[in-house]
Amino acid sequence: MTASDSAAVLRDAHAAQERFERLKIRRAPVARSRRVGRCDEIVGRMCMRLDGGSDWWPREEHEEVVEGRTGLIARLDELAVLLPGDGWLLAQRVHYRVEAGGLNDALSVARRCGVAERWWCDALEGYALHVSGEVASAGVTFDRALEAMPQTTREAWLDPGWLLDDEGRRRLRDLPQADRAAAIGRWWVLADPFYTVEGNDFRTEILARRTVARLRREAENGHRMRWGDDLEELLIRYGWELGWERTLPSTGTVVGTESAVGHQHPESREWSPPPVAIDRPEETEARSWTHGGRPLQRTGYAPDYAPVASPADVELRTFARDGAVLVAADIRLDEDTKYHAQHEHPPLERAPRWNELTSIVGLAAVHAETLERREVRGVPGDGALQLRLPAGPWVLSAEVVEAAAGRAGRLRRGFVADPPRRDLAGVSNLVVASAPRAG
């Protein structure tokens, strides 16, 4: 095929993709009310509202959008036969299958690959695996992609800069150059929302977002804007849109000037580590790990296995034991009293993989220097969990996941295990017991 023929195939593919994205917004539901008021944050051309207390919930797609996506996938497949080695075409074929819920099909297309940059095929496969709920496999596949991609690309994909607030970026910048890579690696380990759930789904979520950002760079998007750093930053920080609305033009404005409003997951919360975790994770306080413990929500994420985050009621006790510290935790999940709990919404569909997950409670600890992980698991109602920790700096995480209800909670905090010297007397935490009342 000549260069001009290849260019014509790509023009056809881009035109088909653009027509579909315009159809998706044209058939999006009209916003129930005009969005007025201040922006929580302005990023470039974009106004970000965090929508706390908003009643927005994903609605069923218009049948024309469903049919249009099916037609787009078929057309892209036809064009891929003519241009099998094109990375942009491959990415769109995987992406729209993921968007349609055809995850097995998306994985099959990604694995057949055929493009020159093999790492890009691995990234697309990792993206589809993550959305499928196969987080551990996604992590392995993304690591393979990271190893093979150019160094500058790898550093950019692993750079947590957009996910950090000003203090976090300052702490990272102030570290000696030789220590920064280790600090970034530790930050990603600590970012795992629940240590007792297999895989690090926050890390694979961000790498999946990196993949989607790359495939959108030369594609039409719902905002009808040229792709830029502002759109990319918001995608990395808050994720891709779970649904769209359109606002009608105001009286006196030109017809066709309605705007599109993209919505991320309605249960999205802050799950990234606090700034102190960059260099002193053992000094982090429990409040700094909670969703309301920081002045501004910097990132947004809702774990697919438990999108509803509820406060965890945790009692922690520590006891000295033969040169180590025994940590005991009694863990319960409080009732969900947040905004969406008061409204009747259809449950959001989650990957079938998570239907296999059973309810668990867990007590885990990550060593702040070596990243050694220790954990013990149980089931709700089993009583206190106990974990033995040698001396050193740790991050503790007491967790509970109610899989069937799709909700979870945790208490996470820094902890320095400092067993008393054998030649000195010491006192452990007090345990108060209530005597039974006389009958």
Side-chain angles (χ1 to χ4, degrees):
M1 180 178 289
T2 66
S4 60
D5 290 337
S6 298
V9 170
L10 273 180
R11 282 196 301 271
D12 193 343
H14 279 272
Q17 189 266 339
E18 180 177 344
R19 284 194 300 271
F20 171 71
E21 287 295 328
R22 290 184 178 274
L23 168 67
K24 186 161 64 177
I25 301 305
R26 194 166 62 248
R27 289 292 179 258
V30 176
R32 295 189 176 104
S33 61
R34 293 192 60 80
R35 297 173 63 81
V36 295
R38 68 175 182 84
C39 306
D40 290 300
E41 187 176 3
I42 296 177
V43 179
R45 300 162 293 173
M46 305 301 295
C47 169
M48 185 67 188
R49 294 188 178 95
L50 297 177
D51 280 347
S54 167
D55 195 35
W56 180 84
W57 201 260
R59 298 187 234 176
E60 189 173 350
E61 284 187 314
H62 195 285
E63 61 181 13
E64 287 187 38
V65 175
V66 177
E67 293 171 0
R69 185 185 292 107
T70 301
L72 171 64
I73 292 172
R75 183 57 181 155
L76 294 175
D77 287 350
E78 292 172 359
L79 295 172
V81 174
L82 302 175
L83 201 62
D86 187 79
W88 186 89
L89 254 177
L90 173 69
Q92 306 308 314
R93 294 170 64 216
V94 172
H95 173 63
Y96 284 109
R97 283 172 162 85
V98 170
E99 193 174 85
L103 299 176
N104 289 334
D105 200 14
L107 280 169
S108 178
V109 171
R111 286 167 175 164
R112 287 200 297 270
C113 190
V115 305
E117 292 184 305
R118 176 69 216 191
W119 73 263
W120 181 229
C121 302
D122 289 333
L124 291 168
E125 181 182 344
Y127 161 46
L129 283 167
H130 171 78
V131 178
S132 302
E134 300 295 337
V135 174
S137 296
V140 172
T141 306
F142 274 127
D143 284 342
R144 192 166 63 234
L146 289 165
E147 181 66 25
M149 67 178 57
Q151 180 179 348
T152 54
T153 305
R154 178 170 59 253
E155 290 174 352
W157 278 39
L158 292 176
D159 181 5
W162 276 339
L163 309 174
L164 302 174
D165 61 12
D166 290 342
E167 181 187 352
R169 287 192 293 272
R170 177 187 60 77
R171 285 177 176 272
L172 185 60
R173 185 177 60 249
D174 289 349
L175 287 174
Q177 184 68 36
D179 295 338
R180 289 180 192 170
I184 290 173
R186 178 175 60 235
W187 188 90
W188 283 114
V189 171
L190 297 178
D192 189 353
F194 291 93
Y195 297 142
T196 46
V197 175
E198 185 181 19
N200 184 339
D201 51 285
F202 185 83
R203 183 175 183 268
T204 56
E205 169 74 15
I206 299 302
L207 292 173
R209 293 178 187 181
R210 290 283 186 188
T211 305
V212 173
R214 184 180 177 92
L215 67 85
R216 283 188 177 181
R217 287 178 187 172
E218 297 178 9
E220 180 72 9
N221 62 76
H223 295 289
R224 301 180 183 177
M225 296 179 176
R226 183 179 294 276
W227 190 257
D229 285 348
D230 47 6
L231 289 173
E232 186 153 346
E233 178 180 340
L234 290 178
L235 172 57
I236 302 306
R237 287 171 58 187
Y238 297 103
W240 52 80
E241 299 80 8
L242 204 62
W244 294 86
E245 288 182 324
R246 57 192 173 92
T247 59
L248 298 178
S250 303
T251 304
T253 58
V254 178
V255 175
T257 58
E258 66 266 21
S259 60
V261 179
H263 291 276
Q264 282 76 25
H265 200 295
E267 296 287 3
S268 188
R269 300 288 186 274
E270 178 77 76
W271 287 100
S272 62
V276 185
I278 287 288
D279 53 350
R280 298 287 184 184
E282 69 277 10
E283 297 178 4
T284 56
E285 298 178 351
R287 176 170 170 74
S288 67
W289 290 92
T290 63
H291 309 299
R294 287 175 247 177
L296 176 68
Q297 181 178 332
R298 182 71 189 174
T299 66
Y301 173 54
D304 194 31
Y305 50 87
V308 177
S310 299
D313 182 9
V314 180
E315 288 187 43
L316 280 176
R317 295 288 184 268
T318 59
F319 307 91
R321 288 290 186 275
D322 299 325
V325 173
L326 185 68
V327 180
D330 188 21
I331 312 166
R332 296 174 298 276
L333 198 59
D334 287 351
E335 180 184 359
D336 182 13
T337 58
K338 296 188 299 301
Y339 184 83
H340 285 290
Q342 314 305 316
H343 296 74
E344 292 187 5
H345 294 304
L348 291 172
E349 185 177 351
R350 63 179 183 177
R353 161 74 175 83
W354 298 121
N355 294 329
E356 306 168 9
L357 185 66
T358 57
S359 294
I360 55 174
V361 292
L363 180 61
V366 175
H367 196 280
E369 296 172 354
T370 66
L371 300 184
E372 173 194 356
R373 181 179 298 187
R374 297 191 174 200
E375 66 179 55
V376 58
R377 305 183 189 187
V379 297
D382 269 0
L385 299 176
Q386 298 181 10
L387 191 63
R388 182 185 175 90
L389 298 178
W394 298 85
V395 172
L396 289 174
S397 192
E399 307 170 352
V400 55
V401 178
E402 291 186 354
R407 69 189 193 112
R410 72 182 189 191
L411 182 144
R412 188 167 292 185
R413 51 163 290 193
F415 175 72
V416 177
D418 187 16
R421 289 168 43 188
R422 292 180 179 272
D423 57 342
L424 295 177
V427 178
S428 297
N429 286 163
L430 296 177
V431 177
V432 180
S434 299
R437 294 183 179 181

